[in-house]
Amino acid sequence: MARRSTSSPTGSPTGPRNRTPRPVRVRRRTFGDVVKAFLAFVALLVLVVGVPGALAVLVGWPLPHGAPSLDWLQQEITVTTFLHILTVVVWLAWAQFTACVLVEVKAALSGVGVPGRVPGAGPSQLLARQLVAALLLVGATAASLTPGLSQLGHGMEGNQKGTVAAARQLPGGLFAQQQEQAANTAAAVAEQASHAAAHVDTGSAAKQGDTKYYRIQPPEGRHHDSLWEIAQRHLGDGRRYKEIYELNKDRVQPDGSRLSEASLIRPGWIMEMPADAHGGELVEMPDPSGKVSEQEQRQIHDYARTGDHAQSGGAQAQDGAQAQGGGHAQDGGHGGAARASVPAQRPASDAGHAQHATGSESGHSFGLPEALLGAPLLAAGLLGALGRRRRQALWQSAFGAVGGRRGMEPPTPTGDALDVQDALLVGADPEGVRLLDRSLRALAAALAAESRPLPVVYAAWLTGGDLHLQLAQPSGKPPAPWQTGQDETFWMLARADAERYEDVDTAAPYPGLVSLGTMDDSRLLLNLEAVPGIVSLSGREADRAAVFASVAAELATNGWSDRMTITLVGFGQDLTPLAPNRLRHLDGVEALLETMEAETRQRRGALGAAGHDSVLTGRTGPAQHTRWAPHLVLLAAQPSAEDARRLAELAADASRLGIGYLVGTESGELPGAAWEMEITSAGRLLAPLLGLELDAQRLPLAQQQAVVELFVEADPENGPDGPTTTPPFLVDISEQGRPAVYARLVGPYEIIGLDGPDGERSALLHEALALLLLHREGVHPRVLSSALWPRGVTDDVREALLERLRAWLGHDPDGSPRLRTDGAGRLTLAKSIVSDLDVLRSLYHEATQGKGVDSRVVRGRLLTDALVLVRGPLLADRPEGRYRWLTHEIVDAQLPLLVADIGLALSAFHLEKERAEKAIEALNAALRTAPADERLWHELLRATHATGDTDRLRAVAADLAGRSGARGLPPRTEALLDELLPTWRDDAAAVG
């Protein structure tokens, strides 16, 4: 059946326009194309063949026939000599041009990658490229020579093996499937036809009535038919492709296979159409026009019988077969050949986390932002970066890097910022980030060990706990334990294998991977750095901005990259506080173009000087030290036509240089866009002919502002100067303030005042109580459950835990429960439950800002009492595998600094009265909890020097030097030793 372009009689479709790359648009050859191709052929013939022929006939051999002597250099330059020199130059120019032609022909025929650069060619290679492109218009459109997303996984079409296409593949038609060979298809059709002839009955024809059918067309060039296009042509709206899919799902096709994914259809398949379908390509049965053959009629008759009850029975049979076969569909109609398929998504450790994070367990989010609950990689990156920022502020505060400020407590967020912080704690999947990072680095290390280059990776899917990498082209067998996926362009790593990886010292191979959204249970990460051109995003401005913000935030804070530059243009919210070293805002498109033109030139020159063909070869092997960092440009505002043209020119070679472009557009028309996507108001990310329809990952404006607020509040430069901030929970430290329940967290975990809970659940209840004690401001129920069960939990299990916790903690004498819920729904503890950390903070606060300020005696007593409470690190005996939520906390950094401050204050208290031994005792007690605190060592050196015992001072210096190891002593410590013990360097050399 010939393909015909059938316009919708209803006018312009109302659905989203085609977001497929321009290269896949079918363009008929015109007479002008033929003329251009003929002229290009003549020009190439003249330049490649005619020029050397003319030189050989008219000039002959231009070089001397023998070795020249010195006399030859003294001869007069004649016209013949000049012509011979000129001939040599022309021969060299011809050789260079011929090399350009060969390079361009190879790149054009392969359809993969960017043509290699011939040294010094410049205009010659440009001329060769134009002539070759014009010549190849005879066989294909020039646009088809540019690799697009729909060709992912393909090399030359002529090299595709005749395999049976996949019955089930990874989500999305992002990865183009191989087509069957014509002979296999014909055999399948003949077999189905004979089967149909034996079973056709008169009732089936009557049942069909005037039902309309459509036969999937074979590809034209590189353009493949799709359900979206069919719905666009015959239903007037591409979004109605789901109706066609539902009508035909799991029905047996003429080749014996079934439709299982809306994006995976094959030539020769038959599609039953909705009743309102229209257009000349459709077939009605019975067919009065006679436009289909008798064989095709029999096939359609047989296909019609697979509908209704027969369809459901067939689907059940197939489901049963897949269940028995471990998720691999088997081809029962073609000699038992197995269809290529990806293993069925199986429950994995991160699957539960995903369910927990998205709120599917209860159908709502308890008021927390859904966007962050459903973005585990983004949430993990933001949470990790926020923790680092708070630790940095803590250390700068403690060491006086910020003048006067002595804040031991970070500000407690409120309002939207608190909700966002809770959503980060619930939604984050740090384990998933760790496995992704280790897997990619280990792959790079394994390839480097085999002296193999890194393959170009366009995208990655995280599905069922496994990692699937989509390669730009087949790259051979992956290193173990990686396996080949559904075809040679997929490399797959099972989660169980990923968990056995350890950290390796190699550069991050694919730092440009960023989450775009989810399809079913699979998460798509697109490698912006590898896109052969611009990625455009259309849709409403607010929707585009939410996607751009999500991409920027994840790139800036992700855990699978080392270094990168992210340039933002047209962003309403300043995101720089998230990562000042990575993010930069530019004022407009003109500034962006100037910056990127300069960087593009610089990178081209640097790659050429280093002898690399792309940044990937600079990240592994002997040149690993180069570690080419990506530069990703996010242009949220639509550029003008001229600016878009200049961007397209820069992006043409960007993937080789490690530069990626994501550009927003209102109309959807962006010149030079290689991949086109659309974000809908419902939060769907569409690229129809690419098979992409994702639940987009977004970061709406309100949540952008709240995230930025968290980072700004944590920035030490923005904090107030002055005394130590007040702890969030102060306790009565007098005898009258004795608590009903006392928990000892600083050191081994002990609880006084409560009977032990049920032995089987004791560890869980103790962990829940510890979390609540460390957050006296309140803990969201979902934060508590995600901390205890990071892989997910159901409502009934969480509520059962809370009931047990309430029963265990009991009630105060006035009858009020000790575990309460505040007005915002957060869990809080009664003041009658106190921890030693609360007492420690209160004692230090009272000594330095309360009664101890005016009374030296009171200050000394309070500081001594505080130091006695310190029995070791926080929760020193916690069991392995539990309390993992502490990695998100900064209390593990706060406690050593607090203990060090107490030790320093008590040392100063004793040195005022020249009690050096008491000062040394206090400092040594503090060093047991904070052994790396440089301030404590400095005071210990001064206190020891105050005793006048030089040998003892030498011993302390030697101990300190031994602890510093190969790094050596810090500069300030060396300077102090030079002052207190001038001979310490000689002593260290003698010991060494």
Side-chain angles (χ1 to χ4, degrees):
M1 186 184 301
R3 178 188 295 276
R4 290 180 290 273
S5 300
T6 307
S7 301
S8 171
T10 59
S12 302
T14 60
R17 292 175 305 112
N18 175 16
R19 299 299 169 204
T20 336
R22 301 179 184 278
V24 302
R25 295 177 180 172
V26 178
R27 179 178 179 270
R28 301 288 186 183
R29 292 186 296 273
T30 64
F31 177 73
D33 293 334
V34 176
V35 172
K36 291 179 181 178
F38 175 75
L39 294 176
F41 174 76
V42 172
L44 286 172
L45 190 64
V46 169
L47 292 173
V48 177
V49 179
V51 169
L55 290 174
V57 172
L58 298 178
V59 181
W61 184 252
L63 298 177
H65 293 281
S69 62
L70 292 177
D71 294 336
W72 181 78
L73 297 176
Q74 299 174 358
Q75 293 179 3
E76 181 181 356
I77 298 178
T78 64
V79 174
T80 302
T81 304
F82 177 77
L83 289 176
H84 284 177
I85 295 173
L86 182 61
T87 302
V88 171
V89 174
V90 175
W91 272 107
L92 293 175
W94 170 85
Q96 184 188 59
F97 179 77
T98 303
C100 294
V101 171
L102 294 176
V103 168
E104 295 297 328
V105 169
K106 177 182 180 296
L109 292 178
S110 66
V112 178
V114 177
R117 297 177 62 85
V118 178
S124 297
Q125 188 164 3
L126 179 60
L127 175 61
R129 182 176 304 168
Q130 293 173 343
L131 292 175
V132 170
L135 177 61
L136 290 180
L137 282 173
V138 174
T141 62
S144 69
L145 303 178
T146 303
L149 191 54
S150 61
Q151 282 78 49
L152 292 183
H154 287 283
M156 292 178 57
E157 290 186 0
N159 292 335
Q160 295 176 6
K161 298 180 180 179
T163 58
V164 180
R168 181 178 184 276
Q169 301 193 14
L170 280 177
L174 178 68
F175 316 123
Q177 56 185 350
Q178 295 181 336
Q179 302 298 324
E180 295 183 3
Q181 290 181 334
N184 290 342
T185 303
V189 172
E191 180 182 353
Q192 185 64 29
S194 62
H195 176 76
H199 294 86
V200 169
D201 56 26
T202 56
S204 63
K207 180 180 177 180
Q208 291 170 32
D210 57 354
T211 304
K212 300 171 185 178
Y213 296 88
Y214 175 85
R215 183 179 289 275
I216 304 301
Q217 300 299 304
E220 293 187 10
R222 296 194 175 193
H223 177 84
H224 295 262
D225 214 346
S226 71
L227 292 186
W228 180 283
E229 274 196 331
I230 296 168
Q232 191 82 0
R233 291 196 305 269
H234 300 295
L235 299 175
D237 188 347
R239 288 175 293 187
R240 293 185 62 188
Y241 78 91
K242 294 182 179 179
E243 299 177 32
I244 306 175
Y245 172 69
E246 292 298 331
L247 281 173
N248 298 276
K249 179 182 178 183
D250 294 327
R251 295 171 65 175
V252 179
Q253 292 292 337
D255 62 359
S257 55
R258 301 171 188 264
L259 174 66
S260 60
E261 295 285 347
S263 58
L264 304 179
I265 59 176
R266 294 155 61 183
W269 279 9
I270 298 167
M271 295 288 118
E272 182 178 336
M273 300 293 290
D276 61 336
H278 50 265
E281 294 177 304
L282 302 179
V283 176
E284 296 184 11
M285 297 302 295
D287 177 35
S289 64
K291 64 181 179 180
V292 297
S293 66
E294 183 178 351
Q295 182 184 24
E296 289 177 318
Q297 290 191 44
R298 284 198 299 267
Q299 292 174 9
I300 295 176
H301 273 292
D302 188 77
Y303 182 74
R305 296 181 60 205
T306 65
D308 301 332
H309 65 279
Q311 177 183 351
S312 61
Q316 293 172 2
Q318 185 192 30
D319 292 341
Q322 288 182 345
Q324 295 175 6
H328 292 269
Q330 301 296 324
D331 190 340
H334 301 289
R339 291 195 292 268
S341 69
V342 170
Q345 296 176 2
R346 57 184 181 276
S349 55
D350 67 338
H353 173 85
Q355 179 187 21
H356 175 73
T358 57
S360 59
E361 60 188 35
S362 59
H364 58 87
S365 63
F366 290 87
L368 298 182
E370 290 282 3
L372 290 172
L373 292 176
L377 304 184
L378 169 61
L382 288 171
L383 196 60
L386 182 60
R388 291 189 295 271
R389 182 68 54 81
R390 285 175 171 171
R391 283 177 171 82
Q392 179 187 14
L394 197 63
W395 293 327
Q396 290 189 13
S397 170
F399 285 88
V402 179
R405 183 185 176 194
R406 302 287 294 170
M408 293 301 300
E409 299 293 335
T412 301
T414 57
D416 289 344
L418 180 57
D419 288 339
V420 162
Q421 178 176 276
D422 286 342
L424 293 177
L425 290 167
V426 174
D429 182 15
E431 180 66 11
V433 171
R434 185 182 67 85
L435 288 179
L436 176 61
D437 180 48
R438 284 186 173 182
S439 300
L440 296 176
R441 292 180 193 267
L443 174 63
L447 290 172
E450 298 176 6
S451 299
R452 295 172 58 185
L454 281 170
V456 176
V457 170
Y458 278 153
W461 287 94
L462 291 172
T463 176
D466 302 334
L467 172 62
H468 301 259
L469 297 183
Q470 169 60 30
L471 314 184
Q473 59 188 4
S475 298
K477 183 179 179 180
W482 289 78
Q483 306 171 25
T484 302
Q486 63 193 44
D487 59 43
E488 293 182 351
T489 62
F490 279 94
W491 285 1
M492 189 274 289
L493 180 68
R495 183 182 179 105
D497 294 324
E499 289 174 342
R500 288 192 284 269
Y501 275 135
E502 296 182 355
D503 292 330
V504 294
D505 183 19
T506 190
Y510 305 113
L513 285 170
V514 64
S515 303
L516 289 185
T518 58
M519 179 184 291
D520 299 326
D521 293 328
S522 298
R523 182 171 303 278
L524 170 66
L525 289 86
L526 183 66
N527 190 3
L528 285 177
E529 184 189 18
V531 176
I534 293 174
V535 179
S536 70
L537 177 67
S538 61
R540 296 190 313 174
E541 183 177 2
D543 298 321
R544 296 199 319 267
V547 174
F548 271 96
S550 170
V551 170
E554 185 170 299
L555 288 173
T557 60
N558 74 55
W560 54 87
S561 63
D562 298 319
R563 299 177 297 118
M564 70 169 63
T565 300
I566 307 163
T567 298
L568 309 179
V569 181
F571 278 64
Q573 175 68 43
D574 183 9
L575 300 179
T576 305
L578 304 186
N581 295 330
R582 285 192 180 185
L583 290 169
R584 66 173 179 179
H585 283 258
L586 293 182
D587 293 335
V589 181
E590 187 61 34
L592 172 68
L593 289 170
E594 292 179 4
T595 300
M596 297 314 300
E597 285 172 352
E599 179 157 350
T600 299
R601 288 193 301 268
Q602 187 272 333
R603 289 203 175 207
R604 282 175 179 162
L607 278 178
H612 302 312
D613 57 352
S614 74
V615 295
L616 287 180
T617 57
R619 289 184 183 154
T620 57
Q624 186 180 141
H625 64 278
T626 309
R627 302 199 175 204
W628 300 86
H631 186 164
L632 303 175
V633 175
L634 307 182
L635 175 55
Q638 178 168 343
S640 65
E642 175 60 22
D643 291 338
R645 182 192 64 78
R646 293 172 63 185
L647 279 173
E649 292 176 354
L650 290 172
D653 197 25
S655 60
R656 187 177 68 91
L657 305 176
I659 302 174
Y661 293 87
L662 177 62
V663 181
T665 172
E666 297 176 1
S667 63
E669 293 292 339
L670 188 68
W675 301 347
E676 296 179 332
M677 299 182 294
E678 178 187 13
I679 178 66
T680 70
S681 57
R684 302 287 287 174
L685 191 66
L686 306 178
L689 290 185
L690 309 179
L692 281 179
E693 185 171 344
L694 306 172
D695 290 319
Q697 181 171 296
R698 298 174 295 168
L699 190 60
L701 180 59
Q703 292 167 34
Q704 294 176 43
Q705 295 170 341
V707 168
V708 171
E709 179 183 340
L710 286 173
F711 279 80
V712 170
E713 289 294 325
D715 190 342
E717 298 295 338
N718 295 326
D721 294 340
T724 307
T725 55
T726 303
F729 180 68
L730 289 173
V731 299
D732 184 356
I733 57 176
S734 65
E735 286 294 328
Q736 292 73 27
R738 186 179 299 275
V741 178
Y742 183 62
R744 304 178 75 183
L745 305 179
V746 184
Y749 190 3
E750 299 176 13
I751 297 180
I752 301 171
L754 285 178
D755 295 331
D758 185 350
E760 295 181 355
R761 299 184 176 90
S762 176
L764 198 64
L765 292 173
H766 277 77
E767 186 175 356
L769 179 58
L771 178 61
L772 291 167
L773 284 167
L774 294 177
H775 290 277
R776 302 306 301 237
E777 72 278 8
V779 177
H780 197 286
R782 294 204 63 185
V783 173
L784 178 65
S785 62
S786 66
L788 300 178
W789 295 285
R791 297 181 179 179
V793 65
T794 55
D795 285 346
D796 56 341
V797 174
R798 179 178 58 242
E799 292 302 324
L801 170 77
L802 294 180
E803 287 303 319
R804 293 189 185 95
L805 189 59
R806 288 190 181 94
W808 179 43
L809 296 179
H811 295 73
D812 282 334
D814 61 0
S816 59
R818 291 171 178 160
L819 179 61
R820 305 168 181 177
T821 303
D822 65 13
R826 288 178 169 80
L827 302 170
T828 61
L829 293 174
K831 293 183 178 180
S832 58
I833 300 180
V834 171
S835 73
D836 55 355
L837 183 59
D838 297 328
V839 177
L840 188 67
R841 288 167 170 166
S842 300
L843 287 171
Y844 179 65
H845 176 77
E846 190 68 21
T848 56
Q849 298 185 61
K851 296 179 180 178
V853 174
D854 299 323
S855 172
R856 185 178 183 280
V857 175
V858 172
R859 182 168 72 255
R861 178 175 56 82
L862 292 173
L863 291 173
T864 302
D865 290 345
L867 202 55
V868 169
L869 290 176
V870 180
R871 300 173 299 124
L874 186 73
L875 298 168
D877 58 350
R878 57 180 179 264
E880 185 177 358
R882 304 206 69 91
Y883 297 87
R884 292 183 177 177
W885 45 270
L886 280 173
T887 59
H888 303 316
E889 306 281 347
I890 66 167
V891 66
D892 59 335
Q894 285 178 297
L895 178 60
L897 290 175
L898 176 60
V899 172
D901 275 4
I902 293 172
L904 291 170
L906 189 55
S907 172
F909 171 81
H910 289 305
L911 288 177
E912 288 177 3
K913 295 296 184 179
E914 298 183 352
R915 296 195 291 260
E917 292 295 340
K918 288 287 187 181
I920 292 172
E921 181 181 346
L923 292 168
N924 282 327
L927 279 169
R928 285 193 286 271
T929 300
D933 197 306
E934 185 182 357
R935 300 172 301 162
L936 290 175
W937 286 103
H938 288 177
E939 291 306 310
L940 182 60
L941 289 170
R942 293 188 178 98
T944 305
H945 179 266
T947 64
D949 190 339
T950 305
D951 292 337
R952 190 174 179 183
L953 182 59
R954 287 196 182 96
V956 174
D959 185 16
L960 183 54
R963 291 173 179 268
S964 63
R967 295 176 301 173
L969 293 173
R972 289 184 296 183
T973 304
E974 288 186 347
L976 180 60
L977 282 172
D978 288 337
E979 173 66 23
L980 301 180
L981 187 64
T983 62
W984 75 273
R985 297 180 189 273
D986 297 333
D987 297 338
V991 173

